[in-house]
Amino acid sequence: YTLPDKYFINCGSDSNATVAGRIFVGDTNSGSYSPPGQSSSLKATNASTDTSPLYQTARIFKDPSSYELNISENGMYVLRLHFQAFPSPVNLSDALFNVTTSNFLLLSNFRVPNSSNSPLIKEFLLTINVRKFKIHFTPSQETSLAFVNAMEVFLAPESFIPSNASHVTPAGSNGTYNGLLSHLVLYPVHRINVGGHTITPEEDTLWRSWIPDDAFLYYQGVAGNCASIEVVYYQAGGATNYTASDLVYRTSKYSSQDFYPITWRFAVSKNARHFVRVHFCDIISSSFNVLRFNLYIYSSFSRMVGLNELNGFYFAVPFYYDFVVDSDSSGFMNISIGPRENSWNKTAYLNGLEIMELMGWDAPMQSEQNKKRLFVIVGSVVGGVAVICILLAVVFFGLKRRKAKPVETLGSHLRLKVPFSEIWYATKKFNKKLVIGEGGFGKVYKGTLTNGTKVAVKRSEPGHDQGLQEFKREIEVLSKIRHRNLVSLIGYCDERSEMILVYEFMEKGTLRDHLYGDSEGSSSRSELSWEQRLQICIDSATGLDYLHTGSVGGTIHRDVKSTNILLDEDYIAKVADFGLSKSGYLDQTQGTTGVKGSFGYLDPEYFNCLLLTDKSDVYSFGVVLLEVLCARPALDIFLPREQVNLAEWGMSWQKKGQLEKIIDPFLVGKINTNSFRKFGEITEMCLKEHGVDRPSMDEVLYDLKFTLLLQQTAVHRKPYEDSTVVPSVELPLPVVQSLPSHSVPVEEEDQPTVMDGC
Ligand SMILES: Nc1ncnc2c1ncn2[C@@H]1O[C@H](COP(=O)(O)OP(=O)(O)OP(=O)(O)O)[C@@H](O)[C@H]1O
């Protein structure tokens, strides 16, 4: 690799400067190219001796001006522009300008901050196939100016950038991206030396700067640095010493045996296209070709790294992979490495990374002003008519391409994707101590996300009866629904064939735990008052009513039970677990194997006739109402035969008018008679054998609210106003006429007879 055409220009200077082995020729007396006509030189005032000679002079432009360089060989060139707003009689930080080539707007409305010492270096990789290459500097406004301190233009090594690369979108792999070289400028936004120190232009074969990766690690302090003083072995087919400095390949970050995975997060433009080059060199292994691991981009794309014939006979062979990656709307790109599931060696490593934004035809379309500038420049080259045609074509294809962006065509729930690494850390690697429960889907962990949000993480496990279908259904339903009384889905993860659901954490656990704990009678059981229980029933009914009739409408939960009613820190109840839910009615041809739900709560009509309607949820909710009243499980097979099924047992007492005989002992004497009677009626209606005879969820809700009102009204009455009843003693209750679903309100003069204590 030699440099046939190379320009290192010390702008605004009449003397040459040697920097990092290159001679930057002063542009005022250069023979091979002339400084732009309408420009002048500027010298820094009081420049210190430490300041590089490149940043002691500048060429300034008050009018549009260009450098013109002779090019003898077509190909991909590196263009670097150096800027520093040094102290001088002209305030360079006021300069506001555009830099363009004949086809591309490179810098738009560009301003150089009045920085301290570090210069601003803007690099571009672009294909040049004209004999005279022009770089135009155009002040953005009549009053502003443009300037540049130094320029580098040189041919990149052959095949430096491939014409094709794997195309990755936030949704995963998208085949091959063709045409990388044509019509595109690559603008490096991150050039990272992973596991190592800053690499200066002096240390790099193409005078690039590489910066350490630590600031980009998603989780700090989780990976080790590895450095090798040995030489690296460049092999044909792999990287060359121009691909990256060998210093890049002589350091890496690696994951230790038990750690997985390492994630870096880079700020990038939103919804833009990037060229990503990932550099590897195994300086860790003590045998050939033993490491296999995965590289992940945006958690939805993975590629195996390591099975490489280059690694077959040598240690420390540098190689790299190229991708074209479409960024999502987060403004970040996540790159991770992690061991493969079935790989016995759990080490993964990374040596370097480059992310370059692809500035194609989209870029000039970004602002009206840019469009005008482009128009002027391109117009001078190809003529007005041609330009209009080109612009029309550009607009057409630009719009077409924008429409085709995958982000827009993906399901809306993709925004809920959570990287596995985030969940891994949230649950401290699925620490057993954080397990808070286990259900049909798998274990449930308590976790804390990096932003501090407490979450419940449900991880599917083999051997559990719920699987992919329930997983998908849960995401489908909850991604569309947000309601105060439905547990929110924060995200999900389907990486590496995992099925993980992440929910808002419900501090006070399940309703069941508060009623009777485990079936043996948990000592952790709290004693909820009757008012609290009614409020919990009202909250749950509100959630279910929303499911049945709300904006998404027509959703049947199918698994209403006290473990699927969760309580937050303020005891607000939310319905959870939508994995079994159905929209609309069940296919009547479905066999009995299709019956889903939990024993003890199953609607007999659904169980016997496969007739599934929203009234099936109403039945199950009726069983929950009985649980709330009696504080015992829906099914308890250790009880005498007639007591096993709570719905049957409860209704037998209700029919006798003696439901109070089986209530939670904690509630004895604490329930207002009318409230109790109303509650019994609602329960009975919910548990009717035929769905058509059951109330709808909104009627149940209305009645429950009234039940609470009856209780509250009684509590606020003075003791002498009320007579009392001990529930075990049968006394005639005042007639409470049925409420909206099936009745009219209680009459004033008939106000409640209360049970003991109210
Ligand atoms: N969002 C949450 N916040 C707090 N704890 C939760 C949350 N979700 C689930 N849990 C806990 O995890 C346990 C298991 O929940 P899961 O929904 O997996 O099973 P289940 O509803 O009890 O049974 P099944 O899945 O068989 O219907 C719950 O009983 C509860 O203790």
Side-chain angles (χ1 to χ4, degrees):
Y1 167 59
T2 52
L3 301 174
D5 296 314
K6 51 179 184 287
Y7 295 96
F8 299 105
I9 307 173
N10 188 10
C11 304
S13 174
D14 55 8
S15 54
N16 296 350
T18 304
V19 177
R22 294 157 295 174
I23 300 170
F24 282 77
V25 179
D27 69 351
T28 36
N29 55 8
S30 155
S32 56
Y33 50 87
S34 46
Q38 306 194 355
S39 69
S40 54
S41 312
L42 185 69
K43 241 187 161 54
T45 44
N46 306 323
S48 87
T49 48
D50 303 345
T51 311
S52 161
L54 296 188
Y55 308 119
Q56 294 186 18
T57 61
R59 179 152 300 281
I60 58 174
F61 315 91
K62 292 207 168 80
D63 296 300
S65 317
S66 342
Y67 278 92
E68 186 177 278
L69 309 177
N70 291 322
I71 298 292
S72 60
E73 193 169 322
N74 294 349
M76 165 121 330
Y77 279 72
V78 178
L79 163 64
R80 257 184 226 127
L81 302 169
H82 296 244
F83 302 97
Q84 187 162 45
F86 53 63
S88 77
V90 178
N91 190 353
L92 292 178
S93 58
D94 280 350
L96 185 69
F97 55 100
N98 294 341
V99 181
T100 49
T101 67
S102 50
N103 296 325
F104 294 104
L105 176 69
L106 301 180
L107 297 172
S108 164
N109 283 329
F110 181 62
R111 195 189 284 282
V112 182
N114 204 350
S115 66
S116 44
N117 295 321
S118 43
L120 209 53
I121 301 172
K122 294 284 179 185
E123 181 180 307
F124 304 92
L125 292 167
L126 71 174
T127 304
I128 301 181
N129 46 20
V130 288
R131 295 290 140 234
K132 292 208 181 294
F133 175 61
K134 285 187 177 178
I135 307 165
H136 310 273
F137 291 85
T138 311
S140 295
Q141 294 148 6
E142 268 182 23
T143 50
S144 62
L145 53 87
F147 78 96
V148 61
N149 300 77
M151 291 193 337
E152 304 170 48
V153 180
F154 57 91
L155 189 68
E158 212 182 327
S159 310
F160 187 60
I161 300 292
S163 51
N164 308 317
S166 300
H167 189 189
V168 178
T169 69
S173 174
N174 192 21
T176 303
Y177 184 93
N178 297 307
L180 251 173
L181 298 178
S182 50
H183 308 303
L184 288 171
V185 172
L186 275 64
Y187 170 60
V189 277
H190 297 288
R191 191 167 269 148
I192 310 292
N193 179 23
V194 179
H197 58 75
T198 300
I199 299 174
T200 61
E202 286 84 345
E203 297 171 307
D204 183 271
T205 42
L206 296 177
W207 306 285
R208 292 160 292 201
S209 295
W210 301 73
I211 63 167
D213 65 304
D214 301 271
F216 302 94
L217 273 177
Y218 199 37
Y219 302 101
Q220 295 292 332
V222 291
N225 282 350
C226 178
S228 163
I229 47 164
E230 305 290 327
V231 287
V232 294
Y233 291 93
Y234 292 104
Q235 298 295 308
T240 72
N241 62 337
Y242 289 108
T243 314
S245 159
D246 67 343
L247 291 174
V248 171
Y249 293 119
R250 278 160 49 183
T251 64
S252 65
K253 268 223 160 71
Y254 68 97
S255 58
S256 55
Q257 288 282 334
D258 66 339
F259 169 67
Y260 146 77
I262 311 175
T263 300
W264 292 264
R265 192 165 209 233
F266 300 96
V268 292
S269 297
K270 294 176 184 176
N271 300 324
R273 194 156 277 173
H274 297 82
F275 176 74
V276 175
R277 176 163 285 176
V278 198
H279 299 268
F280 301 98
C281 181
D282 182 0
I283 53 171
I284 298 168
S285 306
S286 45
S287 332
F288 297 134
N289 222 2
V290 288
L291 295 188
R292 312 262 187 285
F293 59 95
N294 277 351
L295 165 75
Y296 300 93
I297 300 177
Y298 268 130
S299 70
S300 49
F301 173 85
S302 70
R303 169 180 183 158
M304 192 182 80
V305 180
L307 189 63
N308 192 331
E309 65 282 2
L310 295 169
N311 292 339
F313 305 104
Y314 297 97
F315 291 112
V317 177
F319 61 100
Y320 62 93
Y321 295 136
D322 291 333
F323 303 94
V324 170
V325 182
D326 292 350
S327 56
D328 63 12
S329 55
S330 67
F332 290 96
M333 186 185 293
N334 290 351
I335 311 266
S336 312
I337 51 167
R340 290 169 65 78
E341 238 160 81
N342 40 18
S343 172
W344 63 268
N345 191 320
K346 298 289 177 213
T347 307
Y349 63 87
L350 182 69
N351 298 66
L353 185 83
E354 291 172 274
I355 300 178
M356 307 185 194
E357 190 172 327
L358 262 60
M359 298 168 63
W361 287 107
D362 276 348
M365 305 304 292
Q366 278 162 4
S367 79
E368 271 309 302
Q369 197 179 8
N370 298 345
K371 223 189 279 183
K372 279 183 207 147
R373 298 264 172 223
L374 183 76
F375 183 88
V376 170
I377 294 157
V378 179
S380 66
V381 180
V382 287
V385 176
V387 167
I388 290 165
C389 294
I390 289 168
L391 277 180
L392 284 175
V394 166
V395 171
F396 177 72
F397 287 116
L399 286 176
K400 238 180 127 177
R401 212 163 88 181
R402 231 158 275 196
K403 264 191 204 144
K405 282 241 159 106
V407 176
E408 282 149 42
T409 56
L410 295 170
S412 58
H413 56 260
L414 272 171
R415 73 195 144 78
L416 293 174
K417 270 200 167 199
V418 181
F420 184 82
S421 51
E422 169 98 43
I423 296 170
W424 178 257
Y425 286 101
T427 57
K428 301 200 169 124
K429 308 177 193 173
F430 297 104
N431 190 327
K432 283 194 188 109
K433 288 186 189 142
L434 294 177
V435 173
I436 48 171
E438 184 164 2
F441 191 69
K443 289 198 178 62
V444 184
Y445 299 79
K446 180 179 178 176
T448 311
L449 297 178
T450 34
N451 63 10
T453 310
K454 280 193 195 156
V455 288
V457 173
K458 263 192 203 180
R459 188 187 196 191
S460 163
E461 283 166 23
H464 284 68
D465 48 355
Q466 294 176 16
L468 183 63
Q469 217 181 334
E470 285 78 14
F471 177 68
K472 281 192 191 155
R473 183 67 186 151
E474 186 89 358
I475 297 165
E476 203 178 302
V477 174
L478 283 176
S479 60
K480 287 189 224 135
I481 296 179
R482 292 266 146 177
H483 188 277
R484 183 177 188 262
N485 299 115
L486 302 178
V487 172
S488 300
L489 181 72
I490 288 178
Y492 72 94
C493 171
D494 59 358
E495 275 171 51
R496 304 166 50 85
S497 38
E498 290 276 359
M499 289 189 285
I500 301 173
L501 296 158
V502 183
Y503 300 91
E504 65 174 310
F505 183 70
M506 300 293 287
E507 199 75 46
K508 294 284 194 289
T510 68
L511 170 60
R512 176 194 161 117
D513 289 343
H514 288 268
L515 295 173
Y516 48 91
D518 58 42
S519 43
E520 281 88 49
S522 164
S523 56
S524 66
R525 157 191 162 177
S526 76
E527 293 173 335
L528 295 171
S529 68
W530 182 236
E531 284 89 340
Q532 276 178 305
R533 293 184 203 206
L534 286 177
Q535 189 56 56
I536 288 167
C537 294
I538 290 169
D539 289 343
S540 325
T542 308
L544 287 171
D545 178 40
Y546 179 78
L547 261 193
H548 292 173
T549 60
S551 56
V552 277
T555 304
I556 304 165
H557 186 287
R558 281 219 292 180
D559 201 13
V560 176
K561 56 181 177 178
S562 58
T563 50
N564 284 339
I565 294 173
L566 301 175
L567 306 176
D568 76 2
E569 55 190 349
D570 300 318
Y571 287 93
I572 291 169
K574 304 190 187 209
V575 179
D577 232 345
F578 300 83
L580 297 184
S581 65
K582 278 248 174 225
S583 299
Y585 291 83
L586 188 72
D587 176 3
Q588 300 299 305
T589 60
Q590 193 175 327
T592 44
T593 48
V595 173
K596 299 267 168 66
S598 299
F599 288 112
Y601 297 88
L602 278 179
D603 166 11
E605 206 168 40
Y606 170 43
F607 187 71
N608 296 324
C609 316
L610 293 178
L611 183 63
L612 179 73
T613 69
D614 51 0
K615 300 293 181 70
S616 306
D617 283 350
V618 173
Y619 182 91
S620 308
F621 189 70
V623 181
V624 173
L625 294 180
L626 273 182
E627 278 182 277
V628 164
L629 182 69
C630 307
R632 57 147 283 187
L635 272 189
D636 190 340
I637 53 164
F638 298 107
L639 290 172
R641 167 70 198 92
E642 71 279 9
Q643 297 183 29
V644 168
N645 184 304
L646 176 61
E648 282 174 16
W649 174 240
M651 282 310 96
S652 66
W653 286 101
Q654 169 71 5
K655 291 208 168 82
K656 285 189 267 176
Q658 296 177 6
L659 187 58
E660 67 275 12
K661 288 206 166 161
I662 59 163
I663 69 170
D664 180 0
F666 174 76
L667 294 175
V668 171
K670 294 175 184 151
I671 310 178
N672 161 270
T673 312
N674 270 342
S675 177
F676 176 74
R677 178 185 281 256
K678 189 71 218 159
F679 191 83
E681 273 179 26
I682 302 167
T683 309
E684 189 179 353
M685 293 308 292
C686 290
L687 293 175
K688 287 273 180 211
E689 199 184 334
H690 300 293
V692 285
D693 299 329
R694 295 175 207 145
S696 62
M697 217 55 228
D698 73 315
E699 288 169 329
V700 173
L701 176 60
Y702 192 99
D703 288 0
L704 282 169
K705 284 181 181 168
F706 191 76
T707 309
L708 178 62
L709 192 73
L710 288 174
Q711 177 72 11
Q712 287 166 338
T713 327
V715 169
H716 295 120
R717 287 163 74 92
K718 301 223 169 76
Y720 58 82
E721 293 178 86
D722 301 315
S723 57
T724 59
V725 191
V726 179
S728 53
V729 179
E730 287 182 49
L731 284 178
L733 292 168
V735 177
V736 180
Q737 295 178 17
S738 47
L739 289 165
S741 46
H742 305 277
S743 60
V744 290
V746 176
E747 287 160 21
E748 262 313 302
E749 53 278 17
D750 237 1
Q751 267 303 319
T753 306
V754 292
M755 293 186 179
D756 243 352
C758 290

